[in-house]
Amino acid sequence: MMVPFASFVPMEKELHDELQEAFERVLGNSWYINGTEKESFERKFAEYCGVKYCVGVGNGLDALTLILKALGIGNGDEVIIPANTFIATALTVTNTGATPVLVDPKLNDFNIDIEKIEEKISSNTKAIIPVHLYGCACDMDPIMEIARKHNLLVVEDCAQAHGAKYKGKRIGSFGIASAFSFYPGKNLGALGDAGAVVSDDKDLIEKITKLSNYGSDYKYHHIYKGCNSRLDEMQAAFLSAKLKYLDKMNEERRRIAALYLKNINNSKIVLPEIPTFCEPVWHVFAIRCLVRDKLEKYLSDKGIGTNKHYPIPIHLQECYNDLGLKTGDYPTAEEISATELSIPMYYGMKNEEIQYVIDALNDF
């Protein structure tokens, strides 16, 4: 049996007619940038996240970068981020001229270790970016308390956690603003690159809207040195069509995860933990194994797709040599990088495919 790491086919078959209708509607309107489709999706997604405002942008990296730029974060500033995350979280900080300050994660849920945040705060620290990694919410109450204590901004990186909840409240509604990616593989994915910023701060959203449109408040009048990062009408229409089914698709991911958690039983494999405060959406189902590479090959030989999130931690990436960090500086992030393996998790997995993965892991 072949079980891919991820597949869009079941979802696309189920939503084919609605996606086709969205395509035809945009094509028929002959309006492709800053139109009614974008406005409609922004309203719907803001409501879904439980916030007042949303602005669609070109991708998740731009969403984070635009937030920091709109907040005035730049040269000489420091921003705290987790050491275990996709490199986009770090790039958004350096794209503004600021310096990323890394904090080691916890092994049990892979997210930032809150007990290690305060020791990294300096007089130059301006913000904390908690990343709701793999679809599991960070513990936001103590993060917000640390931020209030030290007069810091909180910007949520929600790129992997569309619809996840923290103590019953959707992520993306805690910080001053939050960034989402709609890369096709996300729980809510476009059919190309796309992203969004959500916030309750009207002035901030208006500034980000201008920054993302060449810094313009009206045509040919530019008040900021902006960029071109806009959610186009076609992707907005696709996202609106898919948003209606996001909770249903997330529930299916939770069903698959529950089967994994209940039935995978192998002393060589460490399963992820679900914090009591979190209702995860399982963008990734990450296991750990001391002989990860051997396990990866074993599963590949059985036709089971996997991925590693992430095999080289940020502080050891060549592009961040200038930070002066070395092996051993972030031991937990390094341990995760050496042992983490993501197994198949996607909407539409068949029960026999799920069982095949479980049996393979138990036989390893």
Side-chain angles (χ1 to χ4, degrees):
M1 182 181 292
M2 301 292 290
V3 183
F5 172 68
S7 174
F8 304 147
V9 173
M11 177 271 297
E12 289 173 349
K13 283 184 177 179
E14 186 172 315
L15 301 185
H16 178 272
D17 290 348
E18 291 187 57
L19 294 172
Q20 184 68 39
E21 190 278 330
F23 171 79
E24 297 290 351
R25 186 173 66 247
V26 175
L27 189 65
N29 288 338
S30 296
W31 191 284
Y32 304 108
I33 299 292
N34 287 345
T36 57
E37 297 288 349
K38 176 175 179 284
E39 293 172 358
S40 175
F41 174 73
E42 289 170 341
R43 288 194 302 271
K44 293 172 185 175
F45 194 63
E47 181 180 358
Y48 179 84
C49 293
V51 299
K52 294 178 180 178
Y53 309 106
C54 170
V55 55
V57 298
N59 55 67
L61 175 60
D62 285 355
L64 273 176
T65 303
L66 286 162
I67 293 171
L68 295 193
K69 287 185 175 180
L71 292 172
I73 292 173
N75 292 330
D77 295 332
E78 294 177 353
V79 178
I80 289 174
I81 68 170
N84 179 47
T85 182
F86 182 54
I87 199 166
T89 314
L91 291 174
T92 194
V93 178
T94 48
N95 282 352
T96 68
T99 300
V101 176
L102 308 181
V103 173
D104 231 359
K106 297 175 295 178
L107 269 178
N108 64 333
D109 66 3
F110 305 102
N111 279 332
I112 193 167
D113 189 337
I114 293 162
E115 295 183 0
K116 297 179 180 179
I117 291 177
E118 284 196 275
E119 65 190 50
K120 296 299 183 82
I121 295 173
S122 76
S123 59
N124 295 322
T125 307
K126 295 297 186 294
I128 304 170
I129 302 180
V131 180
H132 305 295
L133 199 69
Y134 307 156
C136 180
C138 295
D139 195 354
M140 291 306 298
D141 282 350
I143 291 175
M144 298 305 295
E145 180 58 34
I146 291 170
R148 284 189 290 269
K149 178 181 175 181
H150 296 276
N151 194 29
L152 303 177
L153 298 164
V154 174
V155 176
E156 294 176 72
D157 183 339
C158 306
Q160 299 185 15
H162 313 69
K165 291 181 179 179
Y166 173 76
K167 295 184 178 179
K169 183 180 179 182
R170 291 204 195 278
I171 55 92
S173 57
F174 294 91
I176 183 70
S178 303
F180 286 84
S181 165
F182 302 125
Y183 180 78
K186 305 299 185 182
N187 291 37
L188 178 62
L191 304 190
D193 269 326
V197 175
V198 300
S199 177
D200 282 325
D201 191 319
K202 183 179 180 180
D203 291 339
L204 182 63
I205 285 290
E206 289 180 350
K207 186 173 183 180
I208 290 170
T209 301
K210 296 178 178 68
L211 282 167
S212 68
N213 189 33
Y214 298 99
S216 175
D217 54 350
Y218 60 89
K219 196 166 186 176
Y220 301 133
H221 185 261
H222 307 272
I223 57 178
Y224 305 116
K225 295 174 181 176
C227 65
N228 174 18
S229 182
R230 301 171 298 201
L231 176 63
D232 68 67
E233 289 290 277
M234 195 68 76
Q235 298 305 333
F238 291 145
L239 288 167
S240 287
K242 295 175 74 174
L243 179 60
K244 293 180 291 183
Y245 302 98
L246 177 57
D247 286 343
K248 172 187 173 182
M249 293 181 179
N250 283 342
E251 190 58 39
E252 175 63 7
R253 287 174 177 265
R254 279 191 282 269
R255 185 185 76 86
I256 297 167
L259 290 171
Y260 281 160
L261 290 168
K262 179 181 179 180
N263 296 298
I264 296 172
N265 184 18
N266 186 326
S267 60
K268 302 182 186 69
I269 293 168
V270 180
L271 298 173
E273 296 181 17
I274 307 174
T276 56
F277 54 72
C278 174
E279 185 177 313
V281 293
W282 299 104
H283 173 61
V284 164
F285 193 95
I287 62 176
R288 290 190 297 113
C289 179
L290 291 176
V291 286
R292 187 266 312 278
D293 294 346
K294 183 178 179 181
L295 175 60
E296 179 184 34
K297 183 180 185 307
Y298 163 82
L299 292 174
S300 178
D301 290 344
K302 286 186 168 292
I304 297 172
T306 59
N307 205 340
K308 297 190 285 284
H309 296 92
Y310 300 96
I312 304 174
I314 289 172
H315 67 287
L316 300 181
Q317 293 284 354
E318 185 176 349
C319 64
Y320 282 116
N321 285 346
D322 59 320
L323 295 179
L325 301 171
K326 62 185 184 304
T327 299
D329 285 345
Y330 295 91
T332 307
E334 291 169 26
E335 181 174 349
I336 292 171
S337 292
T339 60
E340 190 276 343
L341 190 68
S342 303
I343 62 175
M345 168 61 71
Y346 58 90
Y347 179 77
M349 279 187 77
K350 298 175 182 177
N351 287 332
E352 54 265 34
E353 293 173 327
I354 299 167
Q355 190 62 50
Y356 182 68
V357 173
I358 292 169
D359 290 341
L361 287 168
N362 286 342
D363 290 343
F364 175 68

